């Protein structure tokens, strides 16, 4: 569980792990208002746990994206729950709530030759008049990550449906 607060111009992040985790731990992060300086204190993990990847984190917080989202917001970027696919050197972003079919559609598209750039969490950032996908270490339970920076061509918002299919539309007048 997370709690976040601003006290005396310092951002305080508190985290306590909840099952299922490989190794329970708690952490507190204290950052200045701009998040340029900070310290993270961890209880319940040691160097060996960290080196053996006992958790999916870079900064020893369960969700690094909580801190990264604050930094990205100041730079015109966001972290989005979704997958990104590479198609003709452009990124196609698939987003939607859990269970909407992002993984299913990504796997279908991968079988048809598209590359999965990232799985579950992706970074988008405005660059001039376009939006770029930026690869990062963030991922869901499938450890698919990319270091690529690719212009975003399409963002698809998915809703759950009873059957799985997709249709490539070449002529935009086609329905």
């Amino acid at each position: 569980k997370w709690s976040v607060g601003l006290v005396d111009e310092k951002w305080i992040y508190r985290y306590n792990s909840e099952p299922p985790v490989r190794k329970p731990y708690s952490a507190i992060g204290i950052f200045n208002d701009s998040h340029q300086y900070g310290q993270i204190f961890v209880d319940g993990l040691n160097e060996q746990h960290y080196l053996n990847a006992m958790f999916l984190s870079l900064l020893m917080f369960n969700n690094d994206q909580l801190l990264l989202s604050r930094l990205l917001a100041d730079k015109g970027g966001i972290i989005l729950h979704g997958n990104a696919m590479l198609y003709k050197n452009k990124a196609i972003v698939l987003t939607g709530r859990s269970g909407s079919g992002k993984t299913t559609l990504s796997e279908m598209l991968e079988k048809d030759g598209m590359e999965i750039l990232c799985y579950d969490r992706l970074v988008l950032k405005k660059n001039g008049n376009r939006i770029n996908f930026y690869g990062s270490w963030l991922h869901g339970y499938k450890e698919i990550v990319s270091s690529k920076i690719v212009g975003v061509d399409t963002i698809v918002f998915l809703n759950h449906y009873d059957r799985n299919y997709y249709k490539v539309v070449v002529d935009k007048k086609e329905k």
Side-chain angles (χ1 to χ4, degrees):
K1 287 189 173 187
W2 278 102
S3 64
V4 179
L6 182 62
V7 178
D8 296 327
E9 298 183 16
K10 291 184 180 158
W11 284 93
I12 311 294
Y13 297 85
R14 289 188 183 99
Y15 173 75
N16 288 306
S17 62
E18 293 183 329
V21 293
R22 292 189 222 175
K23 176 76 177 144
Y25 70 97
S26 60
I28 186 166
I30 304 169
F31 293 83
N32 67 346
D33 193 38
S34 68
H35 284 71
Q36 289 179 314
Y37 304 100
Q39 291 180 297
I40 298 173
F41 304 93
V42 179
D43 183 35
L45 292 176
N46 60 35
E47 184 178 0
Q48 198 60 42
H49 295 131
Y50 187 79
L51 294 174
N52 289 332
M54 296 295 287
F55 55 98
L56 299 174
S57 174
L58 182 66
L59 301 176
M60 297 187 79
F61 269 161
N62 183 44
N63 291 316
D64 293 339
Q65 69 255 21
L66 187 64
L67 296 175
L68 189 56
S69 65
R70 170 70 167 92
L71 297 172
L72 284 170
D74 291 341
K75 304 292 182 190
I78 61 169
I79 295 175
L80 187 66
H81 176 216
N83 296 358
M85 308 295 299
L86 185 64
Y87 180 70
K88 295 185 178 179
N89 295 318
K90 295 282 187 179
I92 297 174
V93 173
L94 308 174
T95 188
R97 67 175 57 185
S98 295
S100 64
K102 297 177 299 297
T103 298
T104 302
L105 182 55
S106 295
E107 290 171 351
M108 291 168 66
L109 294 170
E110 183 181 38
K111 285 180 184 174
D112 282 346
M114 289 190 199
E115 177 186 346
I116 298 176
L117 293 171
C118 75
Y119 173 78
D120 199 56
R121 298 176 194 112
L122 55 108
V123 174
L124 301 179
K125 186 174 177 295
K126 188 173 181 184
N127 185 6
N129 62 353
R130 64 185 253 175
I131 296 174
N132 285 335
F133 158 84
Y134 287 81
S136 76
W137 71 93
L138 301 169
H139 59 79
Y141 68 90
K142 288 188 177 185
E143 296 181 11
I144 299 172
V145 296
S146 172
S147 61
K148 294 181 179 178
I149 299 172
V150 183
V152 174
D153 182 62
T154 305
I155 300 176
V156 180
F157 295 88
L158 298 173
N159 289 307
H160 179 77
Y161 194 65
D162 294 335
R163 60 188 176 121
N164 300 316
Y165 72 96
Y166 71 93
K167 179 180 179 182
V168 176
V169 178
V170 177
D171 182 354
K172 292 184 180 183
K173 295 178 184 176
E174 183 181 345
K175 294 186 180 191

